[in-house]
Amino acid sequence: QVQLVQSGAEVEKPGASVKVSCKASGYTFSSYDVSWVRQAPGQGLEWMGRISPYKGNTKYAQKFQGRVSMTTDTSTSTAYLELGSLRSDDTAVYYCARDYGYSFGIWGQGTLVTVSS
Amino acid sequence: QSALTQPASMSGSPGQSISISCTGTSSDVGHYNLVSWYQQHPGEAPKLVIYEVSQRPSGVSSRFSGSKSGTTASLTISGLQAEDEAYYYCCSYAGSGTLVFGGGTKLTVL
């Protein structure tokens, strides 16, 4: 079946970087964009950006410009989110989602990233 | 971009209908027919219930419907059921490949 499986929870110190993976299966990975969405504890959803696996094109939300990087490895059907210069308010569940026509029909299970000294 | 505006909470009794509003601007909701809605139960990933303003994905109950007027989109749930109790988020394309979410609405089924 079509699914996105994300890597496990991470604990990082302020100022560090974190890299989260999202492995796709059940569909042609390069045919759909992948977006990343995060949700801080008790808060709403926040779109971070998207990547096209086919062309490698990225678009980041202005808020994260300069400290976010989204990449893909088409040989393993995996998308990656790397966020640097971590702060305590980056503590959140990070989701990848299959992006088709600017809507998200398939979601990963989420990865909790905790930023704490 | 600023987040889209949703009511923080709404409630309804089983069998009733409710509509959740999502207000944006002429640069997002008002400009594109690319509004989607997501249902999220606590501890779970969001689930798509409406895309492109009013389209329902396969497998989503026909009790869910969407519409738009000007800069405000709406999600209507008819025949409320206990299982509909969840958070609901709207999302709109905002141009230049970007998206913006609403703040979310907590729906309580009384």
Side-chain angles (χ1 to χ4, degrees):
Chain A
Q1 73 279 26
V2 176
Q3 62 178 355
L4 299 171
V5 179
Q6 299 183 221
S7 49
E10 304 269 10
V11 179
E12 302 292 346
K13 293 189 184 307
S17 295
V18 68
K19 192 169 186 176
V20 178
S21 68
C22 168
K23 184 173 177 59
S25 61
Y27 71 95
T28 301
F29 179 63
S30 57
S31 295
Y32 297 83
D33 289 358
V34 173
S35 270
W36 290 89
V37 176
R38 77 177 187 179
Q39 186 170 37
Q43 303 300 309
L45 302 173
E46 182 175 32
W47 181 78
M48 299 181 68
R50 67 149 42 79
I51 182 166
S52 166
Y54 178 66
K55 296 183 178 180
N57 294 347
T58 56
K59 184 69 179 184
Y60 303 136
Q62 189 171 8
K63 173 178 180 176
F64 301 103
Q65 292 271 7
R67 68 184 189 107
V68 69
S69 176
M70 297 177 188
T71 57
T72 59
D73 180 344
T74 54
S75 70
T76 60
S77 299
T78 303
Y80 298 92
L81 166 72
E82 186 166 19
L83 185 64
S85 302
L86 289 170
R87 307 183 291 255
S88 58
D89 61 0
D90 290 318
T91 293
V93 175
Y94 290 76
Y95 293 101
C96 61
R98 192 176 80 168
D99 182 338
Y100 182 70
Y102 302 108
S103 65
F104 312 127
I106 303 293
W107 293 70
Q109 82 277 20
T111 297
L112 175 62
V113 175
T114 303
V115 183
S116 173
S117 54
Chain B
Q1 306 92 331
S2 299
L4 307 176
T5 300
Q6 297 181 233
S9 63
M10 297 188 70
S11 62
S13 299
Q16 286 186 329
S17 293
I18 62 98
S19 289
I20 301 172
S21 62
C22 169
T23 301
T25 69
S26 57
S27 298
D28 39 61
V29 175
H31 194 76
Y32 304 97
N33 288 324
L34 291 170
V35 176
S36 52
W37 289 89
Y38 302 87
Q39 175 192 63
Q40 186 180 35
H41 290 107
E44 298 182 3
K47 173 189 174 184
L48 178 68
V49 293
I50 293 289
Y51 67 99
E52 292 177 2
V53 175
S54 61
Q55 301 303 303
R56 200 170 47 248
S58 172
V60 172
S61 172
S62 58
R63 298 185 298 105
F64 290 85
S65 61
S67 62
K68 189 184 86 166
S69 178
T71 58
T72 298
S74 297
L75 172 70
T76 298
I77 309 173
S78 59
L80 268 179
Q81 299 179 1
E83 69 208 48
D84 300 330
E85 184 163 297
Y87 284 86
Y88 291 85
Y89 295 92
C90 62
C91 181
S92 175
Y93 182 66
S96 302
T98 66
L99 288 151
V100 61
F101 277 98
T105 298
K106 181 179 181 180
L107 174 64
T108 301
V109 180
L110 301 171

